Amino acid sequence: MKPSAEEKGKDNRAVKLLTDAEGRIGMPWRVLLGWMSFVAGLGLAVAVALTAAGYGFPTLAQQVMLATVTSGVAVPLIYLLRRYADRRPWSGLGLTALPAGVPYALLGAGLLFAMTGAALALGSLLGWLRVTGLHLPAETLLVILVNVPIAFFYEAFPEELAFRGYIYRNLNTRLPRWLALVLQVVLFVLAPVALLAMLIAAGLGSWESLTAEYILTLTFFGTALQLSRILSGNLWMCIGYHLAWLETVRYIVVPGDGAIVEVEYLSTSGYLLIHIGTIVLSVIALLWWSLRGKKPPVDWKGTEPDEGEGSREIGNKEAQKEA
């Protein structure tokens, strides 16, 4: 028995909900799969690290496992999505070869360090903190040297590739830049929330660890990083900024003589100024650059088609039909 015209119409509508004009998985589903790829990598990494901790593995070994598994799972999944779901070149995500990316990484790190300097000056002026010393301890430098590659593969690289690269790139093909940025930030915040929910379900976590400060930090952080990607066109600026912030709040600008810039927080505001205020200042600077400093200014209402061979073929066919 042949399907009726009504049944065929329903099937076509269902296909359109799942696929686009090129027969690819629809944009919302690609975004969801990209988000799930990162969450899967992070979740599996945490599970491995917790298991290792139960067997008495040292902290450094657990950190190496976190970095290895997160990038080892999330990055290949994003690659497969880009190749087989998007059917678009890897270069479209803004991840250039490392030699070409170094200046952008230095630009991102330089932005963070400049805003940290501004925050230190502002905090001192307001009486929220005091710089008590400048040091160059060999032990701290060694710790930073060890931590940078771990932070790169555990946090900076897979996060930037997934969120500021893959997810934003897909969102901006259909949505204006400002909305793609906002939705990317929402998904960025939801990733650790989803992980925490899984840990709580397994009896290994508590919602008390999800603080307003943490959510606020992620929100501004995701915004600053996406602005960096939009303005520079290169993910390495995001990676450089990301790594610089992590090392700054962990080892560089902290209380104690093990710091490079030793500070004394005279109030909670001083602490928040360094941890969150530096990011807020970065957002302000980047927004100014997008509206005034960049020529031409960023078109926040614009979309950016992600063209590939398939889309060009469709465009050529449509042009031939019109002719």
Side-chain angles (χ1 to χ4, degrees), residues 8-62:
K8 287 183 178 179
K10 288 181 179 179
D11 291 340
N12 289 335
R13 285 194 295 271
V15 169
K16 286 181 179 180
L17 286 173
L18 295 173
T19 62
D20 61 14
E22 298 177 49
R24 302 181 302 165
I25 300 172
M27 183 273 285
W29 304 109
R30 297 198 303 271
V31 168
L32 179 60
L33 287 171
W35 182 83
M36 291 174 64
S37 296
F38 175 79
V39 173
L42 182 61
L44 183 59
V46 171
V48 169
L50 288 173
T51 302
Y55 281 99
F57 279 76
T59 300
L60 180 59
Q62 295 172 42

Side-chain angles (χ1 to χ4, degrees), residues 9-306:
K10 288 181 179 179
D11 291 340
N12 289 335
R13 285 194 295 271
V15 169
K16 286 181 179 180
L17 286 173
L18 295 173
T19 62
D20 61 14
E22 298 177 49
R24 302 181 302 165
I25 300 172
M27 183 273 285
W29 304 109
R30 297 198 303 271
V31 168
L32 179 60
L33 287 171
W35 182 83
M36 291 174 64
S37 296
F38 175 79
V39 173
L42 182 61
L44 183 59
V46 171
V48 169
L50 288 173
T51 302
Y55 281 99
F57 279 76
T59 300
L60 180 59
Q62 295 172 42
Q63 292 174 341
V64 171
M65 291 176 190
L66 285 168
T68 302
V69 177
T70 302
S71 280
V73 173
V75 174
L77 287 176
I78 294 295
Y79 174 80
L80 292 172
L81 284 173
R82 185 65 178 168
R83 182 169 182 178
Y84 296 107
D86 290 24
R87 302 177 195 169
R88 295 295 185 267
W90 185 253
S91 59
L93 301 184
L95 186 68
T96 59
L98 183 56
V102 168
Y104 291 99
L106 293 176
L107 177 63
L111 172 64
L112 187 279
F113 291 142
M115 294 303 103
T116 301
L120 286 169
L122 180 61
S124 299
L125 185 65
L126 295 174
W128 293 351
L129 59 82
R130 181 169 60 238
V131 177
T132 57
L134 299 175
H135 315 285
L136 204 60
E139 184 178 349
T140 300
L141 295 176
L142 179 60
V143 169
I144 292 175
L145 188 64
V146 172
N147 186 257
V148 164
I150 292 174
F152 177 86
F153 287 108
Y154 176 43
E155 298 168 278
F157 183 58
E159 286 182 15
E160 299 315 311
L161 183 64
F163 291 97
R164 269 62 70 176
Y166 186 82
I167 289 173
Y168 172 80
R169 189 70 192 86
N170 273 283
L171 288 170
N172 191 218
T173 60
R174 298 276 298 277
L175 303 175
R177 284 184 179 86
W178 70 268
L179 183 55
L181 184 151
V182 170
L183 291 178
Q184 176 276 134
V185 171
V186 171
L187 290 170
F188 181 55
V189 173
L190 286 177
V193 174
L195 175 62
L196 180 59
M198 289 187 286
L199 290 174
I200 291 172
L204 299 172
S206 167
W207 288 114
E208 293 179 1
S209 59
L210 193 66
T211 64
E213 177 192 332
Y214 181 63
I215 296 297
L216 195 62
T217 301
L218 287 179
T219 300
F220 281 113
F221 200 45
T223 302
L225 291 165
Q226 192 63 72
L227 286 170
S228 298
R229 165 69 175 88
I230 291 169
L231 289 166
S232 69
N234 197 298
L235 277 181
W236 285 105
M237 181 176 178
C238 311
I239 293 170
Y241 184 96
H242 198 141
L243 283 174
W245 183 81
L246 291 173
E247 302 310 308
T248 295
V249 299
R250 289 172 179 173
Y251 308 112
I252 298 175
V253 182
V254 292
D257 56 11
I260 293 176
V261 179
E262 184 181 353
V263 294
E264 179 186 357
Y265 294 123
L266 304 176
S267 70
T268 304
S269 299
Y271 169 86
L272 293 175
L273 182 62
I274 297 301
H275 284 249
I276 304 178
T278 52
I279 309 173
V280 175
L281 291 173
S282 300
V283 170
I284 294 171
L286 289 165
L287 284 174
W288 179 88
W289 183 16
S290 73
L291 298 173
R292 300 292 183 182
K294 188 173 176 64
K295 303 296 181 183
V298 174
D299 178 12
W300 286 107
K301 295 180 180 180
T303 59
E304 186 177 350
D306 192 8

